[in-house]
Amino acid sequence: DQQVKQNSPSLSVQEGRISILNCDYTNSMFDYFLWYKKYPAEGPTFLISISSIKDKNEDGRFTVFLNKSAKHLSLHIVPSQPGDSAVYFCAAPSLYSGGGADGLTFGKGTHLIIQP
Amino acid sequence: GAGVSQTPSNKVTEKGKYVELRCDPISGHTALYWYRQSLGQGPEFLIYFQGTGAADDSGLPNDRFFAVRPEGSVSTLKIQRTERGDSAVYLCASSLGRTDTQYFGPGTRLTVL
């Protein structure tokens, strides 16, 4: 039962345009979400987060939007740059996933490719 | 300061062998996590340490997997009688406390032949 879903395995965007990465979740108890970015042969790097009391959080070129009623969040990157090419993971604390797990529950990731 | 480090970066072993994977967390981080990432999947939680104790090992797949953190810093993930299905990248993360941002190491790629 995948509680955090990223349905697009890959996304190709032209440099300078907006990249929009989507994430859906099924557990309405999740109250905090994170985005991690991963380059090949490196560990995931924290990018941005959002609490369920907000519907938007912005940090430079990165903005995360949360739609609680739709159980959907999205990461917007504008303008997209070649260095943004990486795998992006959506995650939520597992506390409410059942089983009492203290780690993060991750989606499968979306491979973003920025084309020059 | 230095980030999370993991050794070895790559480990190839034969089915049935025993392996140990090491994680050096960021200095001062009391929380330490192990995850496993299989091909095409996101990281999956294995175990969480708060200090020296395993506060939550609910993600360990079976009793062949065990982890320790004897002095509250370095942690070792131990896998007995390895199976081909154990092949994956094993990631370690640390954070200041349980609810703080997790910082990941580069991972150890384990291949079981």
Side-chain angles (χ1 to χ4, degrees):
Chain A
D1 174 28
Q2 197 161 19
Q3 301 198 40
V4 177
K5 300 178 183 180
Q6 294 177 260
N7 293 319
S8 298
S10 67
L11 174 68
S12 185
V13 174
Q14 205 163 14
E15 182 180 356
R17 300 287 190 111
I18 183 171
S19 295
I20 300 176
L21 297 104
N22 294 304
C23 176
D24 298 292
Y25 61 96
T26 57
N27 190 335
S28 58
M29 295 291 287
F30 285 148
D31 63 356
Y32 189 74
F33 300 91
L34 308 93
W35 285 92
Y36 277 82
K37 173 180 177 179
K38 186 181 184 304
Y39 293 120
E42 294 184 12
T45 303
F46 170 73
L47 192 57
I48 193 169
S49 63
I50 188 166
S51 164
S52 62
I53 62 172
K54 294 185 172 183
D55 54 17
K56 176 183 173 181
N57 188 27
E58 190 172 351
D59 183 2
R61 296 186 298 113
F62 303 91
T63 304
V64 56
F65 295 91
L66 175 61
N67 182 334
K68 288 188 288 295
S69 61
K71 295 194 182 71
H72 176 84
L73 60 155
S74 60
L75 174 68
H76 293 215
I77 307 173
V78 57
S80 300
Q81 299 175 353
D84 296 331
S85 295
V87 177
Y88 290 79
F89 292 100
C90 174
S94 305
L95 184 61
Y96 303 112
S97 299
D102 277 271
L104 296 171
T105 296
F106 284 84
K108 290 188 176 184
T110 296
H111 185 194
L112 176 64
I113 301 160
I114 305 301
Q115 294 185 332
Chain B
V4 178
S5 63
Q6 292 186 246
T7 54
S9 54
N10 279 284
K11 176 71 177 178
V12 180
T13 191
E14 293 180 343
K15 181 173 177 290
K17 299 286 188 183
Y18 168 82
V19 296
E20 289 190 352
L21 312 179
R22 176 187 167 111
C23 172
D24 264 286
I26 294 172
S27 177
H29 281 194
T30 61
L32 186 146
Y33 305 79
W34 283 98
Y35 293 83
R36 176 168 73 172
Q37 186 178 12
S38 301
L39 196 62
Q41 305 293 318
E44 292 179 297
F45 168 77
L46 295 177
I47 187 169
Y48 156 62
F49 286 89
Q50 182 57 49
T52 60
D56 183 351
D57 64 359
S58 62
L60 294 178
N62 52 59
D63 61 6
R64 295 187 296 106
F65 289 75
F66 188 71
V68 296
R69 194 186 185 198
E71 297 177 357
S73 178
V74 171
S75 176
T76 305
L77 178 66
K78 309 180 180 197
I79 310 174
Q80 298 177 319
R81 305 182 304 280
T82 52
E83 299 177 358
R84 291 194 181 91
D86 298 335
S87 296
V89 175
Y90 288 81
L91 294 162
C92 176
S94 71
S95 62
L96 270 174
R98 180 187 176 203
T99 58
D100 295 303
T101 300
Q102 294 181 30
Y103 296 89
F104 283 81
T108 293
R109 180 175 295 279
L110 176 66
T111 303
V112 182
L113 301 177

